[in-house]
Amino acid sequence: MSRDAILALALIAMIGLVSVRFPGFASPDSLLGVFNDTSILIILALGQMAVVLTRCIDLSMASNLALTGMCCAMLNAAYPQLPIVLLLVVAMLIGALLGSINGVLVWKLDIPPIVVTLGTLTIFRGVIFLISDGQWVNAHEMSPAFKALPRAEVLGLPMLSWVALICIALMYFVVTRTPQGRAFFAVGGNPDAAVYTGIDVGRTRFNAFVLSGALSGICGYLWVSRYAVAYVDIAGGFELDVVAACVIGGISIAGGIGSVAGAVLGALFLGVIKNALPVVNISPFWQQAISGAAIIIAVVFNARAERRSGRIILRQAETT
Amino acid sequence: QAEDMRIALVVKALGIGFFEAAAKGAEEAAAELGGVEIIYTGPTDTTAEGQIEVINSLIAQKVDAIAVSANDQDALVPALKKAMTRGITVISWDSGVAPEGRQMHLNPSSNPLIGNMIVKMAADHLPDGGDVAVLSASATATNQNIWIEEMNKVVGNYPGINVVATVYGDDLSDKSYREAQGLMSSHPDLKAIIAPTSVGIVAAAQAVSDAGKAGEILVTGLGLPSEMAAHVESGASKSFAIWNPIDLGYAATMISYNLAKGDAEATAGGEIGMGRLGAVTLGESLDGAMADPFVYDSSNIADFKDIF
Amino acid sequence: MLKPAPSMNPASLSLNRISKVFPGVRALSSVSIKLYPGQVTALVGENGAGKSTLVKVLTGIYQPDEGNIELDGVTQTFASPIDAARAGITAIHQETVLFDELSIAENIFIGHAPRNRFGLIDWRTMNRRAAELLDRIGATVNPATLLRDLGIANKHLVAIARALSVDASVVIMDEPTAALSHKEIEELYQLVEQLKVAGKAILFISHKFDEIFRIADRYSVFRDGELVGEGMIDQTSSGKLVELMVGRSVDSVFPPRTNELGEEIMRVDGFSHPTEFEDISFTLRRGEILGFYGLVGAGRSELMQALFGVTRPSAGSLQMGVEKIVIDSPADAIARGLVYVPEDRGRQGAITGLPIVDNVALPSLSQTSKNGFVRMAREFALARQYTRRLELKAAALDQNVAQLSGGNQQKVVIAKWLATRPTVIILDEPTKGIDIGSKAAVHAFMRELASQGLAVIMVSSEIPEIIGMADRVIVMREGRAVGAFERDELSPEALVVAAAGIEDERVA
Amino acid sequence: MTDVERQTELPDRLRSPLFRLMASWEFLLLIVAVLIFFLNTQASPYFLDPWNLSDATYNFTEKAIIAFAMALVIIAGEIDLSVASIIALVSTCMGYAVQLGADTVTLIAVAVVIGAACGAFNGILVAGLGLPSIVVTIGTLSLFRGIAYIVLGDQAYSGYPESFAFFGQGYVWWVITVEMVLFAVFALIFYVLLHRTSFGRSVIAIGNNPTASVFSGIRVARVKFMLFMLTGVMSAVAAICLTSRLGSTRPSIAVGWELEIVTMVVLGGVNILGGSGTIPGVVIAAIVMGMVTFGLGLLNVPGIVMSIFVGLLLIAVIALPIIIRRLRQRLSG
Ligand SMILES: Nc1ncnc2c1ncn2[C@@H]1O[C@H](COP(=O)(O)OP(=O)(O)OP(=O)(O)O)[C@@H](O)[C@H]1O
Ligand SMILES: Nc1ncnc2c1ncn2[C@@H]1O[C@H](COP(=O)(O)OP(=O)(O)OP(=O)(O)O)[C@@H](O)[C@H]1O
Ligand SMILES: [Mg+2]
Ligand SMILES: [Mg+2]
């Protein structure tokens, strides 16, 4: 059975377990709610997946989200009449621009990605403080349209969920059907070999960072409009959740291995835990320990699934 | 030009509307006194370690007084003690420090009054009683814990009101939002959410309106008029309370000035002047209350939402 | 016999005065080579002579410092491997340049995958064309399987298929037969013939002289980055080539047997492993060179690694001297005087990011240190001693191993385990990919070790080496010992028959 | 074997020791440190006061103590993101012990045991089961702090014995704090451990190539396990200092330190991909970071803006040599 299928089963089992104590949890409404709540994590995990596939890591996603979100909120507060669709495009562009800073440093200067994004993680946060002067942008300063978009329901599903679904579909397409998407796998799987096959390793990584940046940017707008507030610390520490989601989803931190389904399932896994704990009335003080334990168990489990017994040629020799 | 006196206003975290307003009050006091420089500072996240680093650099600058709203009542004590041994006047305001770490503490209001007020605002709109839950800030926030304690003492006076849970949003909008969602789904009969924190109350109100339960589940507690205006309009919140943060910053500055100048001394039962706000009388543990909380609702919010 | 005179044929590829300098090394200095359509040009030279560097310049991986490349009379600059591929140059590189987690088909086509009219990858066409290519080179694998599920030989076939997937006029092969078995090598020769007939210009790099004389039409010889000779293959001899390569004449015969067998030093009984090998028993005496022959994948390396404590055997016992011992880690084995020089030098042998001296001293840390503290003077002394004995070519002892050529890396690897002064040394393919001069040095050295009373186990896939060096040979097939030969029973035929299992079929 | 054909012997070193020193990372960092020191003296009149400088060291001593161990872990090709959470758990356990009436010596013992246990847990998962450390320690980051939350909830422990304050608030002589002495002693110990012992050699070899290290007779799993355990113990030492300095324990203690510590290590020239790095580099980096934050603090620059400087410093210090090398190549080539 594939890793994704196992993870899906684990997810279902967990939902089942929760609904034993609280039957309402497994209702379609509640599950859609969980999905909606996890949408941002899913989108970020997809971006992180692209980066991790190329054997890099992007720790600046949450800071990128926060900075873009603040830009959107301030733009909206200053020019409330600006169309929201335009704002969404602007968010994507700002995010992509920030991502490209990471990308250029990795590509042109060969600085290890973890160092680059550790640096930009703090820099982006600091810049939020500089542009906002530390002030919050509050709900009453945002235009109603700004706040409405993620909540607007289309076919019974909030736009937030729709955006996540669109991102999932697009990402699936990119990863399986475009040369660039396949290059992500090649670059991460064997960078030296990728050079020989004519893939520009640096440029591919750059593109992955731009992609993750653009997705972070979109999430920046979504986050700020959903929670109707923007300040320096939003989504603080969220970068680790995103990495955790990818890892739970079986995306190898060493690059080259992973799938869109894995990233989505990994994010949902964390999302369900986060949503289920308050529901089953577990003391909030237990929350952190439980999600930590879940991450460890998932990793141990993934590693077991990956372990193969013996090499192929000799396994064949055994049977003959 | 060199100022005669430098007073540092150390807040829990920079960028929070409440403290920005307090800073305005501090500047007002400085202008009134003349020759006073206000250093408005604090960490960017609500941690004790961050505040200690800030306090250390203030000690190094040899400021004359430090007025701090503490993230942790115990952890700041050693640093503040050091400040006092180097001749710096130290008071706490809003969120207190343990007595050995400060000369006096200025409560925005009396704790029993606040504890009573937050539950009364819920009970007033729930004639038949019902389940209510508390959404607090971080589990370590001194003042929130005291208010909740005070609230629990008097909750028996409101028949039918039943506190079913206390959750913590860590003064983070998103976490508070999720906790509010959790409250709604795990307590289907919930009638009100009491959030004695300006971040939590906004997030709770947002979560309630997003769930389409504005008017059905009441959100109340302590909040800023500017941040709550929209939610009072939408009906998610009927009323909430707060003291005037501008006055609080003003008062803290005045007290610091008087103590640093040697014009007053912090003694149990003694009085310290607060400029236009009169004087504060100190209790047994050298703390005093500034004023009563003030309740905002649809009738008066329009007058205040542009001020703080 | 209607072969046109080569000189009449215009060269399809000319390299003119190409130079390439690395920090401290002049890898290529002003070399000029011409490749002709329908002809195989063999490129020979010692390790580090600059052969692979030339391949990388030709395929756009490195840019030359000087000189130019002319293709069909047009001067070209290759900024990237894509440019070279577009211009019709394709290569099988010395290192395997493949992706374990991608399918076979994708490995073949990555970088130039067939697209549909929307510019998206056309998986169906890709799989079909991959199947055709694999069929052509006699590989029987499903193009949709993941590469990681293939054995090493099949992987190499995929690399060859990849080179053929571009319609190229110039095909470069850098030691393509190093990892292939007998049968697959034969198929490769046929393929080269086909390419010749199709009019491709072929550059063929190899250290094996028999195959050069079998398939090449012309030769070019490199020494220290310079072209020192070229001509038609039928106008030269291996002796002359070697002289050109090393700048002196070299004895190509194996060193005479000087070692005397002493007392039994090691006894292996019923060694088995759940998936890799089964019921292996043998004894080893002081001064003996015991050969292990088999086709690639016969499980020899796994057996040796189990003896060395890298993996655990499931059954069987090991006795050294009179004592039965259990070795559960390489550290244990080294402490007991049993060392293993691995076959995969890049991954298991050398630590390429560290200096030569650190590499040599690493397994001997307990000797060179005192109470856990290292003593650098001793480390340098050790490194100096052993690199001199193996005639290592390098700039200094603190040079990183990564900067050495393949053959010199192998010398560092051998030096590093010799420095522990073992009593039993296992050499796994000790001369794989190293040039004739170095090979002779390694062989002489093995003899010297044996005559000093060391016991040597030599795993090799080269029949001449096995026959020339071993006192006794054990043949393995599919994880089992299928034959044991004393020195006087050795013949190439007997070994091949045992290793390939032809005997079995005759019995059945 | 005869030596007739070999005329020349390989020299030990390609470049002179002076050249290597000048070209080293530590030298560059030292220049940066001097520069920052000078800028600080210009920017604030309060900087050059011995007591202030002494206070300033608290900005980095505790983090640096962990950074030494972290440097070894990173050189070995792993990473430990759970260090700050180990501090929280250790501090919580010390607080718990205080409630049971433990004295200072017992507290130290408790801290070291818990720190070692946390490190051993990481070590088993990483070295024993072969899991990627970045992921494992993201998990234990949540787990360890989570346990602290379970134990403490909204409570805090205080009431540490008077003598316990020595570690975080005591002075050895004049302005020399206990933490400074610990910093110096551990710097020396780790310097010797990494650069002068065979254990250190193994660590470097493992970071370069774990497989070849196994074949070379290094007990890789054991070394890695010991490194994680060491990091746990050093986190416990830092927890003792921090708890003693704060005089109380909250579960949110030392939040976010892990990234600052990693930044410190990387700034110190340790290759984040493993295989190389030096302790002097980390020492200088710690002092540089401490001086930057203290200098900016004297100007009342908010912490978040300081972190911009730290982030820029991190990228600039790594990028600069690369850019200079490129430029030089372009000019000469
Ligand atoms: N990237 C590099 N950096 C520095 N030096 C290099 C690099 N690549 C190759 N060299 C050096 O260039 C010289 C030529 O190496 P090359 O790999 O071309 O040799 P080769 O003839 O293919 O040898 P072999 O038969 O061992 O494969 C060697 O001295 C080698 O050390
Ligand atoms: N499926 C595989 N994928 C990758 N590498 C493999 C695979 N199977 C075998 N190898 C490698 O190929 C080499 C030979 O394998 P093995 O040890 O089974 O055979 P052997 O008899 O030792 O052959 P050799 O003649 O190469 O020594 C080893 O280095 C092994 O790691
Ligand atoms: Mg080569
Ligand atoms: Mg082998």
Side-chain angles (χ1 to χ4, degrees), chain A residues 311 313-314, chain C residues 148 150-152 155 295-302 343 428-429 459 461:
Chain A
R311 289 188 325 239
I313 23 176
L314 292 151
Chain C
R148 64 155 187 234
L150 295 188
I152 192 90
K155 283 185 182 174
L295 301 181
V296 172
R300 295 164 299 169
S301 297
E302 280 300 333
E343 158 188 26
D428 197 348
E429 307 281 8
V459 175
S461 306

Side-chain angles (χ1 to χ4, degrees), chain A residues 173 176-179 182 185-186 190 193-199 256-257 308 310-314 317-318 320, chain C residues 56 61 81-82 93 95 97-99 101-102 106 110 115-116 120-121 123 149 162 274-276 297 302 478:
Chain A
F173 205 64
T176 55
R177 297 299 297 273
T178 66
R182 302 313 294 171
F185 287 87
N190 190 346
V195 172
Y196 284 84
T197 59
I199 293 171
I257 309 177
R308 303 182 308 123
R311 289 188 325 239
I312 300 297
I313 23 176
L314 292 151
E318 274 270 293
T320 48
Chain C
K56 289 175 189 169
I61 293 160
I82 285 282
H93 290 280
E95 304 87 354
V97 292
L98 297 169
F99 307 94
E101 294 299 327
L102 300 184
E106 219 180 344
I110 192 145
R115 320 256 197 102
N116 65 18
L120 298 173
I121 294 172
W123 283 92
D149 291 333
R162 171 169 175 81
T275 55
E276 312 293 336
E302 280 300 333
E478 293 176 356

Side-chain angles (χ1 to χ4, degrees), chain C residues 350-482:
Chain C
I351 296 182
T352 51
L354 289 184
I356 296 170
V357 52
D358 288 30
N359 268 281
V360 174
L362 195 59
S364 316
L365 268 180
S366 51
Q367 289 172 43
T368 55
S369 61
K370 193 174 172 192
N371 302 328
F373 292 91
V374 292
R375 297 199 285 182
M376 290 209 256
R378 279 202 186 187
E379 294 186 336
F380 274 106
L382 199 70
R384 231 177 283 132
Q385 183 186 349
Y386 284 91
T387 51
R388 187 174 53 212
R389 276 178 83 173
L390 286 163
E391 300 184 1
L392 183 80
K393 266 188 219 156
L397 288 176
D398 70 344
Q399 202 179 8
N400 277 358
V401 172
Q403 293 169 4
L404 305 180
S405 81
N408 280 310
Q409 290 184 3
Q410 178 73 348
K411 288 181 187 172
V412 173
V413 170
I414 294 178
K416 123 181 203 188
W417 274 285
L418 270 184
T420 66
R421 304 220 205 114
T423 49
V424 176
I425 183 164
I426 305 172
L427 297 157
D428 197 348
E429 307 281 8
T431 60
K432 179 168 153 186
I434 64 177
D435 63 66
I436 266 201
S438 312
K439 230 176 197 167
V442 170
H443 287 150
F445 196 68
M446 278 166 68
R447 269 284 181 258
E448 192 196 329
L449 293 176
S451 36
Q452 285 167 2
L454 249 82
V456 179
I457 295 178
M458 178 184 74
V459 175
S460 173
S461 306
E462 284 186 41
I463 288 182
E465 185 172 63
I466 283 277
I467 292 181
M469 295 300 301
D471 298 312
R472 200 150 54 86
V473 175
I474 292 173
V475 177
M476 281 182 68
R477 169 162 44 87
E478 293 176 356
R480 292 175 189 84
V482 291

